[in-house]
Amino acid sequence: MNFRPLLYLGIAVCVASVPVLAAAAPPPTADYRSPVDVVLMKNDTWLVVANQTSNTVSLIETQTGNVLDEIPCGQHPTDIALCLDGQHVLVSCAYSGHISLIQAEGGKLREVQAIDVGFEPTGLAVAPNGKTAYIGLVATGEVAELDLQRAEVARKFSVGAWPRYLAVSPNGERLAVGCSGESKIVIVDLVKGAVDFSSKLSGGINIGHMQCSADGKYVYFPWMIYRSNPINRDNIRRGWVLGSRIGRVRLDKQEYREAITLDVPGMAVADPHGIVMNAAEKRLVVSASGSHDLLIYRREDLPWEGVGGPGDLIDPKLMQDRDLFQRIDLGGRPMGLAMAQDDRTVYVADYLRDVIQVVDIEDRRIVRHIPLGERPGPSQVRHGEELFYDARRSLDQWYSCHTCHYNGGVNSKAMDTWNDGSALTMKTVLPLEHLDQTGPWTWHGWQEDLHDAMHKSFTTTMQGRPASPREAEAILAYLKTDRTPPNPFREKDGSMSVAANRGQKIFESSDANCASCHSGRYFTDGKIHDVGLGSEEDEYEGYNTPSLTGVYRKVRFLHDGRAGSLEEVLMDYHSPEEVSGTRALTDSELADLISYLKSL
């Protein structure tokens, strides 16, 4: 293929056509696959792919691009890692609550074991011996250690809220965990079996994949930062609202994190996710899923800054050296990455295009696309999903809908979106599940038109161009789909625990009086109430009753996030005696009520 790079703001764009290899053996049904992660095996001759929408795993021959096999796994596969003898992979199935151990042999895939761990297993890391794995349990803030030979959980570590991704050191003695719910990197001493220390990421949200250096000194990771400033065009362009970073934290001792800024003036980077380094560690590569590009760095010369840094915009040094930094426009939604043994070929899971993109990071070119099989034609829902994850719809592509509503859910920060008509009156991000069934919308409940809400999200919150009527309908169609995970605090058959059943009676009692407002299928009456928590700075009075469905997924509570747990809500700011003038709950009643709330 002839390749002519167009360089604009550090971006290399392939203007020639990219070869697309035909899949040799597509599965019997056409479906969107939405690949999220990839791993190489068998001396780079095979590639194994986790497909999130189709709940499948694909085996690809890298030389030909043929899909050799595709098998079902659990619901919502999220991460994949090589393990045991190099002929097996682990796949985290977040919605099924298990880890799938899969063997690849003779061009075929076979699930050997489904290991139940519960509580939304997400990120995976495998010890150097291949026999021990670590899994982040997002719903409980724990990491589970798996003995893969016995196929069982050996121990668990409490690390903090939303431990989505993690990495184990080359000597197998240290584990780094990205806890997005608490804006920190946690380092676990695996020899002692305890958390050693944590490193705070001020304003940090959406921590991505993690990669340890070969010498075991650092762990590298991308993340985004929220700066708590009012949303306007000047603040956005200065990087004072949201921004993207790559950071590194010491594994061997506690020191302040170091970081670089990714955002180019006029063409920012959004939703960085995957990260990989080549064996020589000359190149560090990051996927930016919201701005659709691949970021390529010369690692050893990066201008890392610690306390007081980095700056709000990319270091000019990076813009002046095309070998030090360059970005390739990939389109789609680039997610997980795998680096080949040649130290220059990177395989990219493209979620929205249902392909694996093969990129030569030295020549800065897309070599080919490997399709994962037959796909259905365009659909309104898929178009809405594309818009939801597209940061190019915001001013200078700084952030997407997903940036704040992570995968359609919530975030760990109270944010100022101007949706309440006043500046610097921070509000927690409301989830977008069951959106059409839980109106009116916004914390103050003034919004009664979802189409108008879509318009304001694009033009006010994102400061971008308006959504067309067709686009607004597509986004609403996507948001109306059932994207909620099965509740991990329920029994396997969907029933509630004994404690939760007791808690339901308390919830519905006149003593707690919860059901007087939190009523109906989604536990909201859709009305505005004054519960004594207002602020003089608020433009509106009273608050819209929030739905309690999936409340276990939150880490900040009440409209301004002042409460950090359900216990704090029910014992202090929103206690029955404060809100309803009834009595305080006993310790056992409180525990049972919380068990019930977590089961909703």
Side-chain angles (χ1 to χ4, degrees):
M1 180 190 77
N2 294 322
F3 174 77
R4 177 170 58 90
L6 296 180
L7 293 173
Y8 174 66
L9 296 177
I11 299 179
V13 182
C14 179
V15 295
S17 60
V18 176
V20 178
L21 301 181
T29 58
D31 195 5
Y32 294 117
R33 286 170 175 78
S34 310
V36 290
D37 203 15
V38 292
V39 66
L40 286 158
M41 63 188 311
K42 201 181 176 184
N43 292 319
D44 291 355
T45 59
W46 287 350
L47 187 73
V48 190
V49 185
N51 305 313
Q52 194 162 87
T53 301
S54 59
N55 299 320
T56 61
V57 177
S58 300
L59 178 65
I60 296 171
E61 186 176 52
T62 55
Q63 183 176 1
T64 64
N66 291 338
V67 178
L68 302 177
D69 198 13
E70 183 176 4
I71 64 170
C73 62
Q75 294 180 355
H76 207 72
T78 301
D79 207 359
I80 189 168
L82 199 65
C83 67
L84 293 175
D85 53 3
Q87 298 182 30
H88 294 77
V89 296
L90 289 177
V91 180
S92 61
C93 303
Y95 289 6
S96 302
H98 75 257
I99 305 300
S100 183
L101 177 61
I102 296 174
Q103 182 183 37
E105 186 176 19
K108 294 292 183 181
L109 297 173
R110 179 177 68 89
E111 185 177 53
V112 177
Q113 186 87 36
I115 308 170
D116 182 39
V117 294
F119 304 110
E120 294 185 23
T122 302
L124 291 168
V126 176
N129 63 14
K131 300 175 183 179
T132 305
Y134 302 92
I135 297 92
L137 306 181
V138 173
T140 57
E142 298 174 300
V143 170
E145 180 183 273
L146 289 188
D147 183 327
L148 296 180
Q149 293 179 312
R150 295 185 177 183
E152 64 183 21
V153 176
R155 54 182 176 171
K156 289 184 178 180
F157 311 101
S158 292
V159 291
W162 300 351
R164 291 192 183 120
Y165 298 106
L166 52 166
V168 65
S169 63
N171 64 6
E173 295 180 358
R174 314 287 278 181
L175 180 71
V177 186
C179 295
S180 291
E182 297 182 27
S183 306
K184 65 182 182 181
I185 305 298
V186 174
I187 306 300
V188 179
D189 186 325
L190 296 174
V191 177
K192 296 179 180 178
V195 171
D196 192 0
F197 60 86
S198 63
S199 181
K200 192 70 175 175
L201 305 176
S202 180
I205 62 172
N206 306 349
I207 302 168
H209 286 186
M210 311 186 81
Q211 171 81 51
C212 291
S213 58
D215 61 7
K217 186 176 180 179
Y218 288 103
V219 61
Y220 294 79
F221 52 92
W223 90 97
M224 291 194 72
I225 181 173
Y226 176 61
R227 305 293 295 279
S228 302
N229 291 307
I231 290 178
N232 59 52
R233 298 178 74 85
D234 285 343
N235 283 347
I236 291 173
R237 284 176 164 156
R238 291 187 179 109
W240 290 1
V241 177
L242 285 154
S244 293
R245 306 282 189 266
I246 298 173
R248 67 180 187 181
V249 165
R250 290 290 294 257
L251 288 166
D252 55 343
K253 60 182 178 180
Q254 187 167 15
E255 288 186 354
Y256 194 79
R257 64 101 186 108
E258 295 179 308
I260 61 170
T261 296
L262 312 186
D263 299 302
V264 176
M267 192 172 285
V269 168
D271 302 329
H273 180 76
I275 189 168
V276 70
M277 288 189 289
N278 56 18
E281 296 192 338
K282 176 185 177 183
R283 297 295 181 194
L284 185 151
V285 184
V286 170
S287 61
S289 64
S291 48
H292 321 304
D293 36 31
L294 196 68
L295 314 176
I296 304 168
Y297 299 90
R298 189 173 70 240
R299 186 192 63 86
E300 61 184 354
D301 296 317
L302 288 175
W304 300 104
E305 294 187 54
V307 178
D312 303 315
L313 299 171
I314 191 170
D315 189 313
K317 176 183 177 182
L318 294 172
M319 299 300 297
Q320 296 163 4
D321 184 342
R322 292 176 183 172
D323 186 65
L324 181 58
F325 164 64
Q326 199 168 53
R327 61 199 289 191
I328 301 177
D329 184 359
L330 298 181
R333 187 186 177 211
M335 298 286 283
L337 307 173
M339 176 73 71
Q341 294 177 8
D342 64 7
D343 270 4
R344 64 182 299 153
T345 303
V346 171
Y347 294 84
V348 185
D350 188 335
Y351 178 100
L352 287 172
R353 290 184 175 179
D354 287 331
V355 301
I356 303 302
Q357 299 204 49
V358 186
V359 180
D360 186 322
I361 61 171
E362 295 301 330
D363 287 349
R364 309 294 205 268
R365 66 187 182 96
I366 304 170
V367 177
R368 54 180 172 149
H369 294 156
I370 302 175
L372 295 173
E374 184 182 355
R375 7 172 21 222
S379 75
Q380 184 185 51
V381 169
R382 189 67 165 186
H383 182 45
E385 187 176 20
E386 292 168 354
L387 293 166
F388 182 84
Y389 287 107
D390 188 2
R392 295 184 182 181
R393 297 307 302 260
S394 68
L395 176 68
D396 295 345
Q397 64 184 38
W398 281 86
Y399 47 94
S400 67
C401 303
H402 160 79
T403 304
C404 299
H405 296 279
Y406 192 88
N407 287 332
V410 297
N411 216 309
S412 60
K413 304 297 178 186
M415 295 181 164
D416 179 20
T417 65
W418 279 26
N419 245 335
D420 53 9
S422 55
L424 295 177
T425 50
M426 305 298 188
K427 301 292 190 296
T428 53
V429 175
L430 290 165
L432 301 179
E433 288 95 356
H434 314 298
L435 193 65
D436 58 323
Q437 303 294 318
T438 53
W441 300 278
T442 76
W443 266 108
H444 290 292
W446 62 266
Q447 180 60 267
E448 298 183 349
D449 184 339
L450 276 178
H451 287 83
D452 183 60
M454 292 299 103
H455 174 78
K456 283 184 167 59
S457 292
F458 280 107
T459 59
T460 302
T461 302
M462 299 173 70
Q463 292 287 303
R465 69 180 188 273
S468 69
R470 174 175 170 270
E471 289 172 335
E473 289 292 346
I475 294 173
L476 291 176
Y478 169 63
L479 294 178
K480 289 176 183 178
T481 60
D482 186 3
R483 295 164 286 105
T484 56
N487 191 304
F489 291 94
R490 294 262 180 161
E491 304 295 331
K492 292 297 182 183
D493 61 1
S495 63
M496 294 190 299
S497 67
V498 173
N501 275 299
R502 291 195 302 263
Q504 182 178 11
K505 294 177 182 178
I506 298 167
F507 182 90
E508 295 171 350
S509 72
S510 58
D511 287 332
N513 203 29
C514 304
S516 62
C517 298
H518 294 283
S519 57
R521 180 179 179 184
Y522 299 108
F523 303 94
T524 172
D525 60 4
K527 297 179 180 179
I528 311 302
H529 300 276
D530 183 355
V531 292
L533 298 175
S535 167
E536 292 182 359
E537 287 75 29
D538 280 330
E539 184 74 15
Y540 302 91
E541 293 184 1
Y543 297 98
N544 183 20
T545 306
S547 168
L548 296 180
T549 303
V551 72
Y552 75 89
R553 303 173 75 188
K554 294 185 177 182
V555 296
R556 305 304 307 176
F557 299 87
L558 303 176
H559 69 282
D560 55 4
R562 68 181 70 183
S565 67
L566 287 171
E567 289 85 352
E568 190 176 3
V569 170
L570 294 170
M571 293 177 67
D572 191 351
Y573 304 109
H574 209 65
S575 64
E577 63 267 36
E578 286 289 332
V579 176
S580 303
T582 59
R583 66 173 177 84
L585 299 177
T586 66
D587 290 346
S588 61
E589 287 174 329
L590 180 66
D592 288 343
L593 178 55
I594 290 173
S595 292
Y596 175 63
L597 292 174
K598 286 183 176 181
S599 74
L600 299 180

